[in-house]
Amino acid sequence: MKIVMATNNQNKLREAREIFGSLGIEILSQKEAGVSVNPEENGTTFAENALIKARAVYELVHLPVIADDSGLCVDALNGAPGVYSARYAPENLLCETLLENMKDIPAEQRTARFMTVVAFINKNGEEITLEGSCEGVIGFEKRGSHGFGYDPVFMYGDKSFAELEPEQKNAVSHRGAAFRNLYDYFRLHDTQEEN
Ligand code: IMP
């Protein structure tokens, strides 16, 4: 089966290829599928935004499509930045802005989780969404140089996500968990039928 991934993010493509390759599923980039879309992500939930991205590609290719939407939910900020994670601050100031907004919050109240919803549309247009999450705490300073976004301030045990190697992060991350849930869904349902 071939699945088009509704993203322009090379890291997400690589992660999806690593996970789904062993099922004999080929992940095509939008470019490889001959489409170029960048819809406005104006949903109020991760699921809505994942579906917005998946539908925009499905309408053009009528092939199976996956898309994911992710964000960081901080308990002390009532779940913010959540679905607005990408727009919380300019990309290079996301961590600084979060640290500043949490400067008076003590260590034991800095719990947070990364969330992902992955949407899958099969070739008949039937839709499902599946979740993945990863629990951690927000540190008091940036640590590490890998990854992107909020990785330097998201502490998973005694290391930040930015201190983990990519494969270590994939093994425990929200996106990895959501992709593995979809992997299990494909194994339980005959992927040939989906195609
Ligand atoms: P997207 O819309 O799923 O690409 O993600 C929205 C925003 O959430 C990104 O711009 C990042 O700021 C943040 N984010 C999502 N996943 C991660 C991650 O694995 N590490 C750090 N930040 C992330």
Side-chain angles (χ1 to χ4, degrees), residues 12 53 69-70 85-86 94 114 148 150-151 169 174-175:
K12 291 184 180 181
K53 292 185 243 190
D69 195 60
S70 308
S85 291
L94 288 173
F114 272 123
F148 68 102
Y150 299 92
D151 281 348
K169 179 183 162 188
H174 47 310
R175 197 161 22 256

Side-chain angles (χ1 to χ4, degrees), residues 6-143:
T7 185
N8 296 311
N9 181 322
Q10 292 304 315
N11 288 321
K12 291 184 180 181
L13 276 169
R14 181 180 44 76
E15 283 179 29
R17 284 176 176 144
E18 280 167 15
I19 290 171
F20 297 115
S22 64
L23 277 182
I25 293 172
E26 190 184 344
I27 302 290
L28 303 179
S29 66
Q30 293 190 167
K31 201 172 164 201
E32 286 164 337
V35 294
S36 171
V37 292
N38 198 8
E40 195 187 344
E41 297 174 31
N42 54 9
T44 56
T45 63
F46 296 120
E48 278 175 25
N49 282 338
L51 283 167
I52 285 170
K53 292 185 243 190
R55 286 171 186 152
V57 171
Y58 179 79
E59 280 161 18
L60 297 174
V61 298
H62 285 271
L63 287 170
V65 175
I66 56 173
D68 78 289
D69 195 60
S70 308
L72 178 66
C73 303
V74 178
D75 291 324
L77 303 177
N78 296 319
V83 286
Y84 305 105
S85 291
R87 286 164 277 171
Y88 191 55
E91 176 73 25
N92 60 335
L93 292 176
L94 288 173
C95 291
E96 286 76 5
T97 305
L98 184 64
L99 290 175
E100 173 64 21
N101 291 344
M102 292 183 67
K103 65 179 187 307
D104 297 326
I105 297 174
E108 66 278 10
Q109 289 172 29
R110 297 175 76 90
T111 49
R113 67 205 50 76
F114 272 123
M115 296 281 311
T116 293
V117 172
V118 59
F120 172 67
I121 307 181
N122 74 11
K123 82 164 199 310
N124 301 321
E126 292 155 356
E127 301 173 342
I128 62 158
T129 57
L130 294 164
E131 283 186 15
S133 65
C134 180
E135 300 285 331
V137 299
I138 304 304
F140 287 92
E141 59 186 11
K142 288 171 72 174
R143 284 173 54 169

